[in-house]
Amino acid sequence: MNDGNRTREPELPGIAVSESWPAPAWALQERAILEKLNKAATEYAARYTLADGTLIWREEWPGMDGSDDPYEAFMNLSLLYALGGNEEVGRLSRLMWETITWQWTQYGQIHREFDAYYDWMHHGEGYLYFYFLGFSDPQSLKLKQRAVRFARMYTGDDPEAPNYDREKRLMRSPITGSRGPRFEMTAEDWVTHREILDDYLAPFEDIPGVDFASGKCRWSDDEIYGHIIRLMNERQAKGDVPLNLNATGLLAHTYMLTGDETLRQQVQDYLSAWEERTERNGGLIPDNIGLSGAIGEYNDGKWWGGYYGWRWPHGYATIIEPVFNACANALLLTGDRKWLKLARAVIDKQWSLGRWRDGVWEAPHRHCDEGWTDWRPFNALHPVHLWYLSREQEDLERVQRIPIPEALRRIDLPSNSGRNPVTGKETKHFIGNTIPWFLFTQGEYEGYPELILDAAQTLIDRQLDKMRSSAGDPLSWNWENPLSIHAWQEYCPLYFEGLLQLMLGAPMHISHGGLQHASVRYYDGEKCRPGLPEGVAALVDRLEGSTLDVTLINTDASAARETVIQAGSFGEHQFTEAVAFNCDGQEVGALTLQDRWLRVALSPGSGLKLRLTMERYVNRPSYATPWFDPAVDVRPIMPRSGD
């Protein structure tokens, strides 16, 4: 954000630092990674786009799938700028969202600047980019106006997109978007997925010509494909599914741009509806709700068998993720930890169904007509995210009860945006180190900052080599292969999980639609823009209840810098005390606070450690900066009377 967008000069509490602090290895690593990412961003965009920013790719693209993949591939431009990337990164982040939206409108997947219709696994993935723009470009009129328009598609207020039934508190289909609920899918909708889905479990157990027990289903066979589409339309195309809880991310994002209380209330109402459905189903969350509100209305009364539900295609993973995301959104918007109830219940229920085998606690991940199946080791990932939000002992115990194998305790260098072929760990968006980061917060991973930053350097270098190779040349790709739409993610060098963890004191987002939560965020106090100032490095190395330790280092020996620290990603927390320590660990000052921001003036070559105490979830979450509040300072453009 430049000075031209400043609307006020705030009186912020502050600390001035003059004591020198020789730059530690981690601080120099952070600055080197940021500089490398700045250059990589420019090179990446140039490699895969034309002069106007449109992607070098095919002339047509059928089906309903598509826009989420390029959005995912370029979304980290915005997140990088919010960490401290340069102004060219910020420009590219705005350009690429606009051009991808335009290009996929031409292909036909996007209508009125939003996906015409698809499910909230893919909406959740793609619109992470839209959410990250709230960090990097909160003063944007386009961002706010679009958010309001998109949210109306999921509040029941858009007659062209009546996706939500406010009276019954349900989404009317698993397939929704700017054209409304899609009650009848066509063969063309899934055309780009047919060969990919050949290796997946069948969505139903009674598809003519399919042996369900084989774990395969030949979507590429025209006769079988016809039966699949028919049965999907009969059993899955109408009514609500847990996956739709990801829509609360769009509502929360819009709330933080506008302060519209009706959005906060709808998040609570919709999550409450799913809590009630779970209670009606004996404590197990059902995966399909009819338009009347009845469980299993189009599925012979079965609570399993819905779209992206307990049976197909991924089971538990696509149940817990949207549940967790919605609970996190409700906590953020209300400050009330009671909204974590459903996430805790789903995790606990699945844990209770488990069994010990060879010293490993396994839990079923699917429910089919024969009962629970697909037994796997219980995943600590979602309990870690739950603990991170609540910082409560009961959630820490949910993590600690899970035996974590050694392979998942080590720092991972993901090889792709998908599943690690060796460990089986999901590495979507090259996120693979949430559990090692958690162990670091518990004092169980000595040297983690330097090790994870070394890994980040290696990953970026590896991705740059891939991008620059002949295989990374978009003109060499087989564009007729539907999988080519994932190629931008696989060749992208803008992956920086460890950097974000250390700077923000947080795990990276849940990749299928979770907001990027953080313990703290930063602004450049001189330039009045998001991110750390040039030359400044930050390390959060202690999280305990409502207290954290963050070290700020000005690695520049010739220039002073001013950093503003924010309590939480969205200013949802409130600082109450700051205690400062020098490089020898001696206390050098303390400050009593009642503010979401703290200004730190760093002399050349100086540094300090701050022990920050805060009240958590006490402020209205917002994309407001110390100088600008989009809820107040961005005035929407109104259409002329009668339009």
Side-chain angles (χ1 to χ4, degrees), residues 316 347 349-356 360-366 372-379:
Y316 173 71
I347 289 170
K349 187 66 175 180
Q350 216 59 21
W351 175 266
S352 74
L353 296 170
R355 66 190 183 191
W356 287 105
V360 176
W361 188 258
E362 294 183 330
H365 280 60
R366 298 179 195 270
W372 289 106
T373 185
D374 190 13
W375 295 80
R376 305 184 206 172
F378 201 86
N379 192 344

Side-chain angles (χ1 to χ4, degrees), residues 240-242 274-289 295-296 302-306 309-310 319:
D240 209 352
V241 295
W274 277 104
E275 289 179 340
E276 293 165 14
R277 293 162 190 166
T278 303
E279 291 172 6
R280 291 204 326 260
N281 199 46
L284 271 166
I285 186 169
D287 71 9
N288 62 113
I289 306 295
I295 295 171
K302 298 173 185 176
W303 55 263
W304 68 92
W310 280 112
I319 299 292

Side-chain angles (χ1 to χ4, degrees), residues 418-629:
R419 178 173 292 179
N420 184 311
V422 177
T423 65
K425 178 169 62 177
E426 293 296 334
T427 54
K428 185 69 176 176
H429 301 155
F430 286 75
I431 299 170
N433 292 293
T434 298
I435 290 173
W437 170 81
F438 166 77
L439 296 173
F440 166 62
T441 69
Q442 303 303 299
E444 298 179 28
Y445 210 124
E446 186 175 354
Y448 182 78
E450 292 79 9
L451 292 170
I452 192 67
L453 292 173
D454 279 343
Q457 288 268 21
T458 301
L459 177 60
I460 296 165
D461 288 340
R462 180 189 294 174
Q463 290 297 110
L464 284 169
D465 287 343
K466 284 168 59 178
M467 183 188 76
R468 293 164 179 164
S469 71
S470 58
D473 181 354
L475 297 181
S476 73
W477 296 348
N478 176 12
W479 293 346
E480 294 306 310
N481 181 353
L483 288 176
S484 65
I485 199 168
H486 297 284
W488 302 296
Q489 294 178 59
E490 298 305 325
Y491 292 104
C492 177
L494 304 181
Y495 296 119
F496 42 83
E497 178 186 24
L499 188 70
L500 182 145
Q501 289 175 341
L502 300 182
M503 285 183 172
L504 304 190
M508 287 199 82
H509 56 275
I510 295 285
S511 62
H512 297 108
L515 300 182
Q516 180 58 64
H517 300 270
S519 299
V520 288
R521 273 187 68 205
Y522 311 97
Y523 299 92
D524 185 324
E526 295 175 355
K527 295 182 179 178
C528 301
R529 54 148 286 183
L532 284 170
E534 186 177 354
V536 176
L539 170 64
V540 177
D541 61 359
R542 177 176 171 270
L543 292 176
E544 187 174 327
S546 59
T547 303
L548 64 83
D549 288 358
V550 58
T551 302
L552 295 176
I553 304 292
N554 183 3
T555 66
D556 192 324
S558 59
R561 302 294 185 208
E562 184 178 291
T563 302
V564 177
I565 309 175
Q566 177 174 292
S569 269
F570 313 101
E572 67 271 26
H573 308 319
Q574 183 93 336
F575 293 129
T576 58
E577 184 182 51
V579 180
F581 301 87
N582 63 18
C583 61
D584 296 322
Q586 299 171 327
E587 184 177 329
V588 293
L591 189 64
T592 299
L593 303 167
Q594 274 299 323
D595 209 302
R596 69 182 69 192
W597 292 300
L598 173 64
R599 178 178 53 80
V600 181
L602 293 158
S603 298
S606 69
L608 85 165
K609 172 172 278 193
L610 288 169
R611 180 155 295 160
L612 298 171
T613 303
M614 62 181 76
E615 296 179 280
R616 304 182 73 241
Y617 300 109
V618 295
N619 290 326
R620 180 179 72 81
S622 170
Y623 288 116
T625 76
W627 310 277
F628 189 94
D629 184 351

Side-chain angles (χ1 to χ4, degrees), residues 131-177:
Y131 306 158
F132 293 163
L133 287 169
F135 293 143
S136 64
D137 198 21
Q139 72 275 20
S140 168
L141 171 59
K142 289 181 180 179
L143 179 69
K144 180 173 177 177
Q145 192 131 346
R146 284 167 172 154
V148 171
R149 184 155 44 84
F150 297 169
R152 283 172 52 86
M153 298 173 186
Y154 290 92
T155 61
D157 294 310
D158 183 342
E160 290 186 61
N163 295 304
Y164 186 65
D165 184 329
R166 190 182 288 119
E167 180 184 353
K168 293 187 172 64
R169 295 178 298 163
L170 59 80
M171 298 292 177
R172 302 177 67 222
S173 173
I175 309 295
T176 62

Side-chain angles (χ1 to χ4, degrees), residues 303-314:
W303 55 263
W304 68 92
Y307 182 93
Y308 270 82
W310 280 112
R311 177 168 55 203
W312 178 87
H314 305 299

